[in-house]
């Protein structure tokens, strides 16, 4: 493949510089890790690492067959209909035909399906396992506008206008549309408006030779600049203000507060969106893994073929599977990688002790790349959901608990005497490098590759920040497919040869960040060697 040739070329360059023996040893180690990582991810996909922490009633509920055993499927938490939907079956005559076939029954795919069905399109959703069985049903349930990469990094690559457009999409299309759909269709997913706190470690100012007061003042100036440049609404908070909002931990001394966040049960949200798709006339088939997507020519319908041989025909196809399967698009698969993240939920603790350190309407994440994030859950607001870890391969439940227990203890020492784990699970966080989602269409100028004749749409690799961004992606793609003109922007032409203005659809702003900036190009040829692109 092209990536393999690039990797070999990179190895030869390293060999000439560092010596063939050194590079051969390093390459052998990397290759061995790649084989190990591939094996571990295959086991993960087969459910080997799904949590062993689960009450007996979860095991005996037939409607939960094939779903992750976690807090979101515990008794009383999944109140949206979630019966198993039938797989796609072969048609004895011609395959069923739809306006759009969506591959993937997660947040992005279901948002796209709802938006298309609302616009009058016939829609079919094909899901390889169960609705929300991937990252869409396993995440921390924090609805906020953010990206894996910092907004300023996006601006450094693409300029302030593109960065501001992406922030605006995530807030006004992603967050606000999600909450509007929940209200419009009465989706029972436990939505709760919340403060979103991004907190800074206590040792940070000292390590930079600052006082906490100076660090807070610097943060205030920085956040004011981000609001001016990108429209991000964050307020700097010192330790006293953090405690007023409802978060108390000596591990953190200041942070920032966003008013545009919420928390919910993401698995219930997905099943609610699936219900809406069917209410609007769409079809959903679970246990239908897609093997290929072909199109004879640009004017012919696409033929989507499942692993069992069943097919559907569609005018348009949307790929929304987290990471792209290599069998469908090797070019897109080569742009994405994955990491394992994990979450635990405690057993009930004394409610007054929980409220003393973390209030129910507050969700928190720290400043690290592989961050910890936590919030209060439970009918009595007496449990804490605590997530984190970033590993290149899946981990055992014991390893997850050991690491998250240590982080929990350092964050909430006053709760340690009452701490016990009831649920623990992990998920695959699909991402790209650099870290903005892949949103676009094969054949577009900014597309990383693929079949230009097939012209398949895609919304992939949300990097653990997908509740808002995936909703925005689904809406933007639906608007572009239907050509409704809703998200068309008119801007002055950058070409001196063209007078007047030029127009573009908003989803193309996201594509601007799919190009690898010059500073990263020397890394890219080596990344396939690390074995985490397993499709």
């Amino acid at each position: 493949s092209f990536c393999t040739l690039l990797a070999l070329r990179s190895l030869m360059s390293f060999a000439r510089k560092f010596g063939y023996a050194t590079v051969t040893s390093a390459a052998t180690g990397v290759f061995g890790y790649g084989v190990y990582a591939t094996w571990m991810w295959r086991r993960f996909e087969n459910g080997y690492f799904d949590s062993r922490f689960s009450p007996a009633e979860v095991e005996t509920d037939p409607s939960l067959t094939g779903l992750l055993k976690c807090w979101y499927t515990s008794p009383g938490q999944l109140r949206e209909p979630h019966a198993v939907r039938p797989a796609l079956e072969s048609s004895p005559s011609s395959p069923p035909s739809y306006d759009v076939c969506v591959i993937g029954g997660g947040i992005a795919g279901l948002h796209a399906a709802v938006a298309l069905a609302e616009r009058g399109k016939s829609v079919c959703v094909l899901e390889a396992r169960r609705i929300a069985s991937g990252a869409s049903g396993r995440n921390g349930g924090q609805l906020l506008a953010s990206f894996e990469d910092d907004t300023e990094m996006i601006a450094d690559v693409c300029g302030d206008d593109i960065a501001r457009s992406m922030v605006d999409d995530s807030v006004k299309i992603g967050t606000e549309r999600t909450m509007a759909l929940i209200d419009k269709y009465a989706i029972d997913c436990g939505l709760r408006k919340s403060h979103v706190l991004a907190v800074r470690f206590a040792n940070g100012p000292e390590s930079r030779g600052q006082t906490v007061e100076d660090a807070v003042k610097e943060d205030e100036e920085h956040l004011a600049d981000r609001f001016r440049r990108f429209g991000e609404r964050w307020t700097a908070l010192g330790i006293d203000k953090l405690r007023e909002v409802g978060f108390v931990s000596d591990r953190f001394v200041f942070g920032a507060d966003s008013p545009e966040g919420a928390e919910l049960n993401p698995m219930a949200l997905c099943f609610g969106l699936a219900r809406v798709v069917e209410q609007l006339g769409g079809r959903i088939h679970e246990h239908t893994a897609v093997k290929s997507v072909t199109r004879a020519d640009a004017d012919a319908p696409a033929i989507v073929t499942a692993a069992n041989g069943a097919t559907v025909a569609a005018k348009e196809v949307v790929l929304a599977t987290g990471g792209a399967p290599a069998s469908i698009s090797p070019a897109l698969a080569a742009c994405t990688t994955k990491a394992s993240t994990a979450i635990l939920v405690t057993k009930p603790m004394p409610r007054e002790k929980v409220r003393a350190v973390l209030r129910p309407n507050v969700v928190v994440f720290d400043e690290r790349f592989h961050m910890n994030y936590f919030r209060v859950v439970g009918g009595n607001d007496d449990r804490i959901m605590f997530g984190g870890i970033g590993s290149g391969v899946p981990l055992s439940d014991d390893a997850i608990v050991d690491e998250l227990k240590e982080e929990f203890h350092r964050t909430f020492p006053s709760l340690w005497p009452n701490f016990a784990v009831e649920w623990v699970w992990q998920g695959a966080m699909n991402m790209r490098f650099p870290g903005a989602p892949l949103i676009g269409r094969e054949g577009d100028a900014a597309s990383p590759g693929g079949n230009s004749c097939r012209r398949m749409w895609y919304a992939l690799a949300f990097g653990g920040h997908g509740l808002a961004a995936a909703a925005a992606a689904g809406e933007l793609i639906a608007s572009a497919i239907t050509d409704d003109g809703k998200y068309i922007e008119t801007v002055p032409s950058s070409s001196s040869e063209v007078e007047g203005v030029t127009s573009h659809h908003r989803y193309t702003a996201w594509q601007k960040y799919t190009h690898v900036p010059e500073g990263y190009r020397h890394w890219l040829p080596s990344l396939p060697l690390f074995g985490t692109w397993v499709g």
Side-chain angles (χ1 to χ4, degrees):
S1 70
F2 178 65
C3 284
T4 303
L5 292 174
L6 285 175
L8 290 173
R9 180 181 177 184
S10 180
L11 277 177
M12 292 300 293
S13 299
F14 291 151
R16 285 191 291 270
K17 185 173 182 179
F18 300 108
Y20 285 92
T22 300
V23 172
T24 299
S25 297
T28 301
V30 169
F31 178 77
Y33 172 78
V35 173
Y36 169 72
T38 300
W39 175 63
M40 292 290 282
W41 281 114
R42 295 301 184 203
R43 299 177 83 196
F44 174 85
E45 290 166 1
N46 292 329
Y48 180 84
F49 293 97
D50 283 355
S51 178
R52 277 48 167 181
F53 290 66
S54 57
E57 55 264 39
V58 175
E59 303 286 349
T60 58
D61 185 347
S63 67
L64 296 175
T65 301
L67 293 179
L68 175 71
K69 303 174 185 67
C70 67
W71 169 251
Y72 299 132
T73 53
S74 63
Q77 296 301 314
L78 188 54
R79 297 182 291 272
E80 281 289 332
H82 49 274
V84 179
R85 292 169 169 87
L88 179 68
E89 296 181 353
S90 298
S91 172
S93 54
S94 59
S97 180
Y98 299 91
D99 291 326
V100 185
C101 176
V102 177
I103 304 172
I107 294 289
L110 291 168
H111 267 289
V114 169
L116 287 161
E118 285 183 328
R119 289 165 167 82
K121 297 295 183 181
S122 60
V123 181
C124 174
V125 178
L126 304 181
E127 165 56 45
R129 291 173 289 175
R130 294 290 312 276
I131 293 296
S133 59
S136 293
R138 299 169 182 248
N139 60 74
Q142 299 183 7
L143 179 65
L144 65 152
S146 66
F147 311 102
E148 183 189 339
D149 278 355
D150 186 80
T151 313
E152 289 177 317
M153 184 180 293
I154 298 173
D156 289 343
V157 175
C158 304
D160 285 12
D161 289 343
I162 296 297
R164 188 182 185 97
S165 177
M166 292 172 66
V167 169
D168 198 47
D169 288 348
S170 285
V171 174
K172 293 188 176 179
I173 304 177
T175 303
E176 294 178 7
R177 174 169 169 78
T178 297
M179 290 192 281
L181 287 176
I182 291 170
D183 179 65
K184 179 179 180 180
Y185 295 107
I187 297 175
D188 191 355
C189 61
L191 177 70
R192 177 162 63 184
K193 291 276 287 183
S194 300
H195 289 274
V196 178
L197 302 181
V199 293
R200 315 290 192 190
F201 286 98
N203 61 359
E206 183 179 351
S207 66
R208 296 190 296 270
Q210 290 179 303
T211 65
V212 172
E213 291 75 16
D214 288 341
V216 173
K217 184 177 180 180
E218 182 180 272
D219 234 24
E220 288 176 344
E221 295 172 352
H222 183 215
L223 293 173
D225 181 60
R226 289 173 72 114
F227 177 75
R228 178 184 60 81
R229 294 173 63 192
F230 314 127
E232 293 179 320
R233 297 175 59 194
W234 289 88
T235 303
L237 303 178
I239 190 167
D240 293 335
K241 291 292 185 180
L242 282 177
R243 291 176 175 177
E244 285 182 22
V245 171
F247 174 57
V248 178
S249 173
D250 292 338
R251 195 180 186 190
F252 306 96
V253 292
F254 70 106
D257 176 24
S258 171
E260 295 169 327
E263 53 188 300
L264 48 78
N265 179 334
M267 188 174 288
L269 171 63
C270 287
F271 277 102
L273 292 172
R275 167 175 60 81
V276 174
V277 170
E278 292 175 328
Q279 286 178 354
L280 295 173
R283 297 292 301 273
I284 297 176
H285 296 283
E286 296 180 313
H287 302 294
T288 304
V290 172
K291 181 174 65 174
S292 66
V293 179
T294 58
R295 193 189 295 266
D297 57 63
D299 298 322
I303 303 300
V304 181
T305 304
N308 65 358
T311 60
V312 298
K315 297 175 184 176
E316 303 283 356
V317 177
V318 179
L319 182 66
T321 51
S327 61
I328 298 177
S329 177
L332 292 172
C335 295
T336 62
T337 186
K338 62 180 70 174
S340 172
T341 63
I343 298 174
L344 66 77
V345 173
T346 68
K347 290 184 177 180
M349 296 180 286
R351 189 178 179 212
E352 65 278 4
K353 290 188 175 183
V354 173
R355 291 183 67 90
V357 296
L358 187 62
R359 290 182 190 162
N361 64 332
V362 174
V363 298
V364 186
F365 62 92
D366 67 40
E367 61 185 317
R368 293 173 294 187
F369 179 73
H370 291 301
M371 65 186 71
N372 288 334
Y373 46 92
F374 36 90
R375 61 187 179 99
V376 174
V377 296
N380 296 318
D381 292 325
D382 55 1
R383 303 170 184 258
I384 289 181
M385 176 182 290
F386 196 98
I389 303 179
S391 172
V393 295
L395 303 173
S396 68
D397 283 344
D398 290 339
I400 292 169
V401 170
D402 288 345
E403 183 164 343
L404 290 182
K405 277 173 66 175
E406 180 181 351
E407 292 290 330
F408 187 99
H409 185 202
R410 295 171 67 186
T411 305
F412 299 118
S414 64
L415 295 179
W416 190 244
N418 306 105
F419 175 85
V421 177
E422 183 163 359
W423 296 92
V424 59
W425 68 94
Q426 63 186 311
M429 180 176 69
N430 291 280
M431 65 189 81
R432 66 173 304 278
F433 186 83
L438 281 164
I439 302 173
R441 190 182 193 187
E442 292 177 316
D444 286 350
S447 176
N451 188 327
S452 58
C453 171
R454 185 171 59 180
R455 300 283 285 167
M456 179 177 65
W457 298 86
Y458 51 84
L460 306 164
F462 292 93
H465 299 257
L467 280 179
E475 171 70 6
L476 288 171
I477 287 176
S479 174
I481 287 175
T482 57
D483 197 23
D484 61 8
K486 188 174 181 181
Y487 300 106
I488 297 295
E489 288 189 342
T490 302
V491 295
S493 174
S494 58
S495 172
S496 59
E497 299 177 1
V498 180
E499 296 182 358
V501 296
T502 182
S503 298
H504 67 272
H505 196 279
R506 285 286 285 271
Y507 82 85
T508 60
W510 294 71
Q511 288 188 317
K512 301 294 184 183
Y513 200 57
T514 62
H515 288 300
V516 181
E518 289 295 332
Y520 295 102
R521 290 189 188 279
H522 65 284
W523 290 98
L524 196 61
S526 303
L527 288 175
L529 293 175
F530 284 85
T532 52
W533 278 308
V534 295

